């Protein structure tokens, strides 16, 4: 694995290059002409200014205030780092800004304030508050954070929340509701032991009390022991949970306890303590990076345990990203004047309910699960669940309306849900889902050009992120030098097909290849010669089960790489045409484009087969394919041969696959604009639907389109993804970036996983 220094360098480079920081401001209006600029600034800008002066609420109509949150800190309690100051906390605040944007499409300015004085901090925030629609307080040390939040909530008329306190409380409360149901316990009967008495622990206790837990049944410990009334150093917030009488040890308090809440430090809950708890103990061990008791140790100690941690590598991760983006989304959308207890509780119940609902296949695939089902290992939703925004945000918005703090009530909830789904499309969640799925069952991947620095970097990342187990092909001396240069010290296989070391394997592969092709003009000498070439060697490794997948193409043209693959690797059973698709990460969500690399002028029959193969690939990523076959004409408006073949392919698909959501021939703008399509061609199977798959009439139109999107609009592309092969073999574009190659490796691993499943079911 990567050493600490390498990780340090990688983290620094990530933040420094190519542009310092993680966020930027992007214009939302046209600005190309003098007319545009005169509207954006003087003299046109005077008009919205005058309207806002007449009615201050018009600021939400004419400015970005309604979707703008301030993430504010003074850097006094940065997670894991302590009091490092405002400047040093800025990368963390930018990171929080990024999470707001990618999960809920909320824009953020991060504000670092250079004071520890409570009054000065509050005054600063109040003075800048007119800029923002909401304020997220972050990484401010207790007890000052309590007073700061309390006063700002009282004195401002926009939502204010200290996520360090309430985020963990909201997510863990949802987990608690479901854990209680599974344990057949009631909140009012719980004996609860808390390790930690900071802001998060106190906020959790407060919310648990609202759920029914009785304060008299809560035993709260800080680093010095049980909180007791005679301790003069306790804050007013802590005194609420201080107990009368003498102190007792944590081990004593845990005897017969139903719930352990850990927000302290790692490995302080011992198996002996856990064994002393009541039947069906609920353990929320949320210290990071090491929980109060290791997950594997806890479940080995108590088979009846219901456990959650703060870690992503165990079930039931209590992750604040399940809450704050959607809580603010709902609050902003109804222009709430505050985030009150009713709104927090609405988020709690929405999260708890969502965990009981049938999980979309997209989420199962992302986490490598056959089927996530409500139970002890699934009591809260997963962070990548796309339903979070449409469940939590509306629940919060409704609670704001019902509790009287919403200034802009939502009237059409169906329309609101559609708007929320549109916001989801602005994020590249599919890349993260893809990587997560690959990590669930990593495969052996041959990198046929590993003596190129960028290819080796991609292999390093794939290995360190547990996406794949690399097998490196190329000049061993060069690879070892490059590995040393980039700090890739993992012991992974390095093979050079041209060396004597590989004579035995090379001759074995040549013999097999010759026997399968000897009646097709291939001699044994030809086969032996070709096996010295890396792409032939790599393909045979996959063919013979010495690897699960291969990737190549960084340094050579696509045709020169695809030729040996097509010679050596068979088509999948029942497949007569091979093709490729590119998954483009657009601001409306992923769109698949086919065929981008192989068939210059496919027939109507070929187009139908390409559409079917692409549909299967779309399903492999957990999406439902909605397919448009593209042309320059709409539904018979041209009788040209090119339009006719597209029409023929559609007719075949309609007749033989009526369940498939597919139509054409269609011009691209009609295919991508559901309202326009519905208005002009209401009879279409795609009318009013969001198309996510485009099948092009020829290679040049598909290839040009995906490269235009990639270069003009900086749309991330994954592909070309090979379709129709019996093995997982995938080809990089010439000169692909490291990131693109890592994504393709993840695709190769997922493809290998799917092919392995099919082989097992045969």
């Amino acid at each position: 694995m990567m050493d600490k220094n390498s990780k340090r360098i990688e983290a620094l480079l990530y933040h420094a290059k190519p542009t310092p920081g993680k966020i930027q401001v992007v214009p939302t209006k046209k600005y190309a002409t003098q007319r545009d600029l005169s509207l954006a600034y003087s003299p046109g800008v005077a008009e919205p200014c005058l309207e806002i002066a007449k009615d201050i609420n018009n600021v939400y109509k004419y400015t970005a205030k309604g979707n703008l949150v301030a993430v504010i800190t003074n850097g006094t309690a940065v997670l894991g780092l302590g009091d490092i100051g405002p400047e040093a906390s800025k990368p963390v605040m930018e990171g929080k800004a990024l999470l707001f944007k990618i999960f809920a499409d909320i824009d953020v300015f991060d504000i670092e304030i250079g004071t520890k004085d409570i009054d000065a901090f509050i005054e600063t925030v109040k003075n800048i508050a007119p800029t923002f629609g909401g304020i997220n307080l972050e990484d401010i040390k207790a007890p000052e954070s309590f007073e700061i939040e309390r006063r700002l909530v009282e004195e401002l008329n926009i939502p204010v929340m200290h996520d360090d306190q309430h985020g963990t409380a909201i997510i863990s409360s949802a987990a608690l509701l479901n854990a209680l149901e599974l344990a057949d316990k009631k909140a009012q009967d719980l004996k609860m032991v808390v390790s930690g008495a900071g802001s998060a622990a106190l906020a959790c206790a407060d919310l648990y009390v609202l759920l029914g837990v009785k304060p008299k049944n809560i035993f709260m410990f800080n680093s010095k022991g049980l909180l007791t009334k005679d301790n003069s150093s306790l804050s007013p917030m802590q005194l609420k949970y201080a107990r009368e009488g003498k102190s007792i040890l944590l081990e004593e308090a845990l005897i017969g306890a139903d719930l352990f809440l850990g927000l302290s430090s790692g490995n302080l809950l011992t198996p002996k303590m856990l064994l002393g708890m009541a039947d069906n103990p609920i353990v929320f061990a949320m210290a990071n990076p090491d929980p109060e008791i290791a997950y594997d140790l806890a479940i080995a100690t108590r088979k009846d345990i219901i456990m959650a941690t703060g870690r992503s590598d165990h079930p039931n991760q209590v992750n604040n990203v399940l809450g704050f983006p959607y809580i603010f989304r709902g609050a902003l959308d109804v222009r709430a004047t505050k985030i009150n207890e009713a709104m927090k509780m609405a988020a709690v119940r929405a999260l708890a309910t969502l965990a009981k609902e049938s999980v979309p296949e997209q989420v199962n695939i992302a986490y490598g699960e056959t089927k996530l089902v409500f139970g002890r290992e699934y009591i809260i939703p997963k962070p990548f669940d796309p339903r979070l925004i449409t469940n939590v945000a509306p629940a919060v918005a409704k609670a704001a309306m019902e509790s009287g703090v919403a200034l802009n009530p939502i009237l059409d909830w169906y329309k609101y849900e559609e708007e929320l789904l549109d916001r989801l499309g602005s994020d590249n969640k599919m890349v993260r889902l893809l990587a997560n799925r690959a990590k669930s069952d990593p495969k052996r991947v041959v990198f046929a050009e590993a003596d190129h620095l960028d290819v080796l970097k991609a292999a390093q990342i794939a290995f360190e992120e547990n996406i794949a187990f690399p097998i490196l092909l190329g000049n061993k001396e060069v690879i070892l030098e490059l590995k040393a240069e980039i700090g890739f010290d993992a012991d992974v296989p390095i093979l050079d097909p041209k060396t004597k070391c590989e004579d035995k394997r090379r001759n074995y592969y040549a013999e097999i290849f010759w026997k399968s092709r000897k009646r097709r003009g291939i001699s044994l000498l030809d086969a032996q010669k070709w096996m010295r070439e890396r792409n032939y060697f790599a393909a045979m490794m996959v063919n013979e089960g010495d690897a699960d997948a291969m990737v190549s193409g960084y340094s050579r043209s696509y045709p020169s790489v695809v030729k040996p693959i097509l010679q050596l690797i068979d088509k999948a059973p029942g497949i007569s045409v091979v093709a490729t698709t590119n998954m483009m990460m657009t601001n409306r969500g992923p769109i698949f484009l086919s065929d981008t690399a192989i068939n210059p002028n496919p027939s109507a029959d070929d187009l139908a087969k390409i559409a079917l193969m692409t549909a299967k690939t779309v399903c492999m990523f957990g999406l439902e394919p909605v397919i448009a076959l593209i042309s320059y004409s709409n539904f018979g408006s041209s009788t040209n041969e090119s339009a006719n073949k597209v029409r023929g392919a559609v007719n075949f698909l309609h007749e033989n696959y009526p369940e498939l959501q597919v139509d054409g021939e269609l011009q691209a703008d009609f295919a991508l604009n559901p309202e326009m399509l519905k208005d002009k061609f209401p009879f279409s199977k795609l009318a009013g639907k969001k198309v996510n798959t485009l099948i092009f009439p020829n290679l040049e139109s598909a290839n040009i389109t995906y490269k235009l999107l990639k270069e003009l609009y900086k749309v991330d592309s994954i592909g070309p993804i090979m379709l129709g092969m019996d093995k997982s073999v995938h080809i990089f574009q010439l000169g692909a970036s490291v990131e693109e190659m890592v994504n393709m490796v993840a695709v190769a691993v997922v493809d290998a996983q799917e092919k392995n499943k099919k082989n097992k079911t045969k």
Side-chain angles (χ1 to χ4, degrees), residues 147-189:
E147 179 67 8
I148 288 170
E149 185 192 39
R150 183 189 66 78
R151 285 177 52 184
L152 287 174
V153 168
E154 287 179 359
E155 298 173 32
L156 292 177
N157 66 343
I158 57 174
V160 177
M161 187 173 84
H162 188 200
D163 186 49
D164 296 337
Q165 294 179 47
H166 304 294
T168 301
I170 289 165
I171 312 309
S172 66
S173 290
L176 179 59
L177 278 179
N178 285 336
L180 287 172
E181 182 176 327
L182 291 167
D184 193 23
K185 296 184 179 184
K186 292 188 167 89
Q188 59 265 33
D189 299 329

Side-chain angles (χ1 to χ4, degrees), residues 324-351:
F324 71 82
Y326 314 111
I327 292 167
F328 272 94
R329 180 76 274 155
L332 292 174
D333 290 339
V334 293
R335 278 174 45 203
T337 56
K338 61 181 54 159
I339 295 173
N340 57 27
E341 298 306 312
M343 294 161 73
K344 295 173 196 171
M345 197 57 68
V348 168
R349 298 195 183 281
L351 287 167

Side-chain angles (χ1 to χ4, degrees), residues 411-596:
L411 302 177
D412 187 338
W413 290 99
Y414 176 79
K415 182 180 178 183
Y416 179 52
E417 183 171 335
E418 290 296 308
E419 291 171 355
L420 292 173
L421 287 172
D422 285 342
R423 290 186 182 280
L424 265 185
S426 65
D427 168 45
N428 292 346
K429 289 186 177 69
M430 187 57 67
V431 174
R432 301 195 300 278
L433 292 168
L434 179 64
N436 258 28
R437 185 178 176 190
K439 291 176 185 179
S440 71
D441 185 17
K443 299 297 183 184
R444 300 164 300 167
V445 178
V446 184
F447 289 76
E449 303 157 295
D451 48 9
H452 289 268
L453 181 61
D454 281 355
V455 176
L456 190 61
K457 283 181 179 177
Q460 179 184 21
I461 292 170
F463 177 77
E464 289 170 352
E465 293 296 318
N466 202 34
I467 291 170
F469 303 118
I471 300 170
L472 309 177
L473 295 195
N475 185 300
K476 189 168 184 176
E477 288 186 10
V478 172
I479 292 173
L480 289 173
E481 287 178 9
L482 293 176
K483 283 186 70 187
E485 182 180 329
I486 63 175
F488 185 14
D489 56 4
D491 183 17
V492 297
I494 302 174
L495 310 177
D496 187 348
K498 294 181 179 180
T499 62
K500 286 187 176 295
C501 296
E502 297 303 324
D503 278 354
K504 184 177 180 181
R505 193 198 305 250
R506 187 174 60 243
N507 290 332
Y508 171 70
Y509 289 162
E511 181 84 13
I512 292 172
F513 179 50
W514 171 65
K515 286 179 178 178
S516 67
R517 296 291 192 275
K518 61 186 178 183
R519 292 184 180 273
R520 301 184 193 177
I522 303 296
S523 69
L524 180 57
L525 190 61
D526 289 334
Q528 289 171 338
K529 177 184 174 183
W530 285 345
M531 287 307 137
R532 297 175 68 85
E533 298 296 326
R534 298 182 207 172
N535 288 319
Y536 283 93
F537 190 89
M540 285 303 294
M541 288 190 74
V542 177
N543 249 348
E544 295 306 304
D546 295 332
D548 303 299
M550 73 165 279
V551 288
S552 185
Y554 171 81
S555 64
R556 298 185 182 186
S557 66
Y558 201 93
S560 67
V561 180
V562 79
K563 180 181 176 182
I565 288 173
L566 294 179
Q567 280 184 301
L568 271 69
I569 305 290
D570 291 334
K571 298 181 183 72
I575 297 296
S576 60
V577 60
V578 174
T580 61
T581 189
N582 275 68
M583 183 164 61
M584 311 300 293
M585 300 304 180
T586 74
N587 61 7
R588 55 176 276 150
I591 297 180
F592 293 78
L593 311 182
S594 302
D595 166 25
T596 52

